Amino acid sequence: MIKFKTVRFKNFGSFGNIFTELQLNKNATTLICGNNGSGKSFAFLDSITFGLFGKPFRKINIPQIVNSINNKQCLVEIEFSKGTDEYLVRRGLNPKIFEIFKNTILLNQDAKSIDYQDILEDQILKMNYKTFTQVVILGSSSFVPFMQLNAADRRSVIENILDINIFTSMNVLLKGRILQFKETIRELNSRIETEKQKIIIQQGFIDTLQKKSTEDIKLAKDKVTQLNLEIVQLDTEISVLESDINLLEIKIIDKAAITSSIQNHNTLKTKIDSKLRTLVKDVTFFTNNVTCPSCSQQISQELKEKELQKSSIKQEEYEGAIADLTLNIEKFNSRIEDINNILKDIQDKKMVSLQKRTSKENTKKYLIEATKEIEKANYSTEQINIELGKKYQQVTTLSELESQKEEYRDEVLYFEYANELLKDNGVKSKIINYYLPHINKYINQFLSSMDFFAQFTLDEDFNEKIKSRHRDEFSYTNFSEGEKLRIDLALLLAWREIARAKNSVNCNLLILDEVFDSSLDSVGMDELMKLLTSVGDKSNIFVISHKSDQLVDKFQNLITFEKKNNFSRML
Ligand SMILES: Nc1ncnc2c1ncn2[C@@H]1O[C@H](COP(=O)(O)OP(=O)(O)OP(=O)(O)O)[C@@H](O)[C@H]1O
Ligand SMILES: [Mg+2]
């Protein structure tokens, strides 16, 4: 329960620069009187609603509450306790201030002033302006009775009193969360699509690389096989040539012997030729001469014939030997010709063999290059592995995104389910339906204690049905002002009873502004007074009235206001 203790104010409305302080929990009933314009409503209604909610009770703009005569700093301080905690709220204009003290310690003011106000309404008072005015104030001007509120405001007041507006706040938060999560899911969907596209492109790239690599490897391997075959082929050809050359060289193994024989034969033939010429000279000498030219001795016939015969035999011998030698030399020369032909053949074959070796060396070089190409193609397999790694990363990211999306989807499902529960027709309607009979019971009790005999029913949409004698199904507006006032009061008291039972918006203050003055007849006044004294055990009731002379002896305390020199003051 909130116990309001004091409110003090200065330069507020018609009040001047000296603090006016009102005790709010001293007397059970207080009558407030004073002439029109003496400052009663400013003091009891506007000061409290401005102090707590930052807006005056009357319908004026906030700056208009500053005293227009001195325009000095306008300040309202209101003290209350809740449980064991003591609170002080200070609010002012010129300059603007708003401070909340809990047990003399200023609450953290980092928050924006609207959040600071939320702290006061949601965490401390647990009621907003609308609910406060419905359970604390009953007045003539500026007061909108519950029955004249629209359906949404009626719901908000009742939810506040039943302390179930937390469900509405939760639902607002929940809706925000659902929207936020759906937005996240949309973002995730677009990231998932992007990731899928990336994977498709990456796979295409890998396929191209793989195809190219396979082709390159095959080409390079084919080349290696081809070159190896060429080398084997060349080796075979070279060894055939080698063995041919060997065979041919064996065939001319006699070359040196033949050459030497030709030389010997020629030398011999030259010698025999020379001997033959000497022999022909001797024959010619013996034929032509009869004396010896050197010793002039007579050459006998016998000698001559003997010599000539000897010479003839020798000549025959020599000529036979020369013929033999010539024949042999011819044979040798013919053999040399053969040998030369074979040598040329060998030369040719050696040439071919050399060419083949050169081409084998070149082929070997090509083979090394082709082998390197296989390595290069193998290197592109490494490249493929890197790209496969990148793809694996992308697939992992995709599955992470998808599982995140699933989590958010689940959350949204739960939240939507909770949202259903928290809707007006969900859990709240169960609670409201539970309390409605109690609310109706209280309203009817208060009505009957004011001798107003009607059956009042508030349905779950907070529409009223009022059955009274001879009139079926009346609505609020059908009733007279005095009757409406009784209904308003019955509702206000019913709210206070429910609030007390729920310990929700339960407070000690009850302020009635000119309720006794306008539409109540004398019977009504008595009934109302009776009712107030019966419910006022833990409340502090303040009644503002001009009928002080009729009421004064019914109250424990009297406060009078007057206006002097344009400023209001409390007497
Ligand atoms: N900003 C202001 N500065 C000074 N006076 C103001 C200001 N705003 C209103 N007033 C005057 O303050 C006076 C007090 O008004 P208030 O409504 O409190 O009187 P009241 O005692 O409730 O009168 P009533 O009995 O007619 O309801 C009025 O005369 C009003 O004209
Ligand atoms: Mg007034």
Side-chain angles (χ1 to χ4, degrees):
M1 168 157 178
I2 295 171
K3 205 173 254 171
F4 289 97
K5 294 182 169 176
T6 59
V7 60
R8 55 182 166 270
F9 43 84
K10 62 175 184 178
N11 304 317
F12 184 77
S14 50
F15 291 84
N17 200 25
I18 300 162
F19 264 123
T20 301
E21 182 169 300
L22 309 176
Q23 298 297 326
L24 300 177
N25 67 335
K26 283 271 145 55
N27 298 290
T29 55
T30 304
L31 180 66
I32 297 128
C33 54
N35 293 337
N36 290 130
S38 57
K40 304 180 292 295
S41 299
F42 263 122
F44 273 90
L45 302 176
D46 300 294
S47 65
I48 295 173
T49 60
F50 176 72
L52 295 177
F53 302 102
K55 48 183 167 185
F57 186 66
R58 70 187 70 197
K59 303 267 172 289
I60 54 170
N61 294 329
I62 295 169
Q64 289 176 303
I65 59 154
V66 180
N67 184 276
S68 61
I69 297 166
N70 65 22
N71 240 334
K72 289 189 174 164
Q73 190 199 18
C74 161
L75 189 63
V76 174
E77 295 182 350
I78 182 157
E79 288 174 320
F80 59 91
S81 66
K82 192 183 162 197
T84 54
D85 294 319
E86 299 290 333
Y87 290 91
L88 164 66
V89 179
R90 299 181 78 227
R91 202 189 297 256
L93 298 173
N94 294 352
K96 209 171 173 180
I97 65 156
F98 177 26
E99 294 168 341
I100 305 171
F101 293 84
K102 181 180 179 183
N103 300 322
T104 72
I105 294 163
L106 180 66
L107 294 190
N108 179 12
Q109 281 203 307
D110 289 349
K112 287 183 284 179
S113 78
I114 188 130
D115 297 338
Y116 209 54
Q117 182 62 33
D118 284 347
I119 292 172
L120 181 59
E121 290 184 21
D122 298 345
Q123 295 172 22
I124 302 170
L125 297 172
K126 300 224 175 193
M127 57 184 148
N128 55 29
Y129 175 84
K130 213 162 273 161
T131 312
F132 179 81
T133 54
Q134 287 297 321
V135 297
V136 168
I137 299 167
L138 192 64
S140 49
S141 66
S142 300
F143 172 73
V144 187
F146 181 83
M147 297 313 305
Q148 284 174 28
L149 293 177
N150 62 31
D153 285 344
R154 287 183 182 192
R155 174 174 286 280
S156 146
V157 167
I158 290 184
E159 284 186 0
N160 218 199
I161 291 165
L162 293 179
D163 205 13
I164 55 174
N165 47 353
I166 182 72
F167 294 126
T168 311
S169 314
M170 277 163 71
N171 214 9
V172 169
L173 285 179
L174 214 58
K175 278 181 189 161
R177 279 280 184 83
I178 290 172
L179 279 179
Q180 202 183 323
F181 281 9
K182 282 188 172 167
E183 183 53 38
T184 311
I185 290 173
R186 259 194 297 281
E187 276 167 21
L188 282 171
N189 272 336
S190 98
R191 282 175 66 194
I192 285 170
E193 274 318 301
T194 313
E195 212 54 43
K196 279 182 180 168
Q197 284 305 318
K198 273 194 204 166
I199 292 171
I200 290 171
I201 292 168
Q202 182 67 5
Q203 187 54 55
F205 182 49
I206 291 168
D207 287 347
T208 315
L209 276 183
Q210 263 168 345
K211 199 170 158 224
K212 194 173 172 301
S213 157
T214 319
E215 280 171 5
D216 285 357
I217 290 175
K218 191 178 176 303
L219 273 177
K221 280 187 174 167
D222 286 354
K223 208 170 177 181
V224 166
T225 314
Q226 177 63 30
L227 290 171
N228 274 324
L229 279 175
E230 276 176 27
I231 289 169
V232 170
Q233 176 70 23
L234 284 169
D235 275 340
T236 317
E237 285 172 9
I238 288 165
S239 68
V240 167
L241 282 169
E242 294 288 314
S243 74
D244 282 358
I245 289 166
N246 280 341
L247 283 174
L248 288 172
E249 278 176 343
I250 290 168
K251 273 189 186 167
I252 57 164
I253 206 155
D254 56 344
K255 186 191 162 205
I258 297 290
T259 311
S260 142
S261 295
I262 288 174
Q263 259 177 10
N264 292 339
H265 275 65
N266 276 333
T267 312
L268 199 57
K269 191 184 163 202
T270 308
K271 278 184 184 166
I272 293 171
D273 263 348
S274 161
K275 279 187 178 173
L276 191 61
R277 269 193 304 276
T278 309
L279 198 69
V280 168
K281 256 190 222 165
D282 287 349
V283 168
T284 308
F285 176 78
F286 280 113
T287 309
N288 295 338
N289 290 306
V290 283
T291 55
C292 172
S294 36
C295 67
S296 303
Q297 268 187 13
Q298 198 81 41
I299 305 164
S300 69
Q301 195 61 32
E302 189 186 357
L303 180 70
K304 208 183 237 183
E305 280 174 8
K306 195 180 158 196
E307 282 304 318
L308 282 171
Q309 197 179 353
K310 232 168 77 188
S311 293
S312 164
I313 291 166
K314 270 194 180 163
Q315 188 177 355
E316 222 168 276
E317 246 176 54
Y318 288 160
E319 280 172 352
I322 285 172
D324 282 351
L325 284 171
T326 306
L327 195 65
N328 277 349
I329 285 168
E330 274 170 12
K331 270 190 204 158
F332 289 148
N333 278 339
S334 138
R335 172 70 189 144
I336 284 294
E337 214 170 288
D338 285 351
I339 285 171
N340 283 341
N341 283 338
I342 289 170
L343 273 175
K344 194 175 170 297
D345 210 2
I346 289 172
Q347 204 54 42
D348 288 350
K349 284 197 191 304
K350 277 190 175 167
M351 197 62 162
V352 174
S353 169
L354 186 65
Q355 280 168 356
K356 300 256 177 215
R357 276 174 204 279
T358 313
S359 111
K360 183 184 158 187
E361 283 315 306
N362 287 338
T363 310
K364 271 184 176 170
K365 276 181 204 158
Y366 297 147
L367 183 63
I368 290 167
E369 273 165 30
T371 316
K372 275 184 191 159
E373 267 168 35
I374 295 179
E375 273 170 27
K376 240 195 250 170
N378 277 334
Y379 168 73
S380 74
T381 323
E382 263 173 45
Q383 173 83 23
I384 290 167
N385 284 338
I386 292 169
E387 297 305 329
L388 278 171
K390 283 185 194 164
K391 188 189 148 192
Y392 176 76
Q393 197 56 47
Q394 288 165 343
V395 171
T396 316
T397 310
L398 178 64
S399 80
E400 276 168 11
L401 287 173
E402 273 171 344
S403 67
Q404 270 180 34
K405 184 181 137 185
E406 276 313 301
E407 278 172 24
Y408 278 108
R409 251 206 215 137
D410 287 351
E411 291 281 309
V412 167
L413 278 182
Y414 295 142
F415 283 3
E416 279 176 343
Y417 182 64
N419 177 241
E420 280 302 313
L421 288 179
L422 292 174
K423 273 185 180 167
D424 288 348
N425 55 1
V427 177
K428 282 192 295 189
S429 91
K430 283 221 155 51
I431 297 173
I432 288 168
N433 284 340
Y434 172 77
Y435 277 100
L436 267 181
H438 298 279
I439 295 172
N440 286 326
K441 190 188 82 189
Y442 281 124
I443 295 171
N444 287 306
Q445 260 176 23
F446 290 124
L447 283 175
S448 70
S449 60
M450 286 184 281
D451 279 343
F452 185 86
F453 295 102
Q455 185 60 40
F456 185 99
T457 325
L458 213 52
D459 67 18
E460 56 202 83
D461 295 319
F462 313 114
N463 293 319
E464 79 281 14
K465 245 184 235 156
I466 311 167
K467 284 186 190 169
S468 78
R469 236 177 292 159
H470 313 302
R471 307 159 185 164
D472 278 359
E473 312 262 320
F474 252 41
S475 81
Y476 176 77
T477 38
N478 285 103
F479 289 96
S480 79
E481 294 308 307
E483 288 167 333
K484 280 184 195 160
L485 188 62
R486 286 170 172 82
I487 294 171
D488 294 341
L489 188 69
L491 280 162
L492 177 135
L493 294 175
W495 300 147
R496 291 175 74 86
E497 286 307 314
I498 296 288
R500 209 199 317 270
K502 289 273 303 168
N503 199 18
S504 56
V505 292
N506 187 12
C507 80
N508 61 323
L509 274 190
L510 176 56
I511 304 166
L512 308 184
D513 188 11
E514 298 186 17
V515 169
F516 283 82
D517 298 15
S518 51
S519 16
L520 279 190
D521 53 24
S522 58
V523 181
M525 267 168 67
D526 285 345
E527 284 159 359
L528 179 53
M529 205 55 227
K530 223 165 53 194
L531 185 59
L532 289 182
T533 37
S534 74
V535 297
D537 52 347
K538 276 183 188 152
S539 298
N540 299 94
I541 301 170
F542 295 86
V543 173
I544 301 172
S545 176
H546 293 115
K547 298 185 177 173
S548 56
D549 44 338
Q550 296 171 45
L551 293 168
V552 70
D553 52 344
K554 296 185 166 80
F555 286 81
Q556 289 179 3
N557 183 32
L558 173 71
I559 299 176
T560 309
F561 286 91
E562 69 162 18
K563 202 189 222 175
K564 207 175 173 192
N565 301 329
N566 282 325
F567 286 103
S568 294
R569 60 182 189 135
M570 187 172 69
L571 296 178

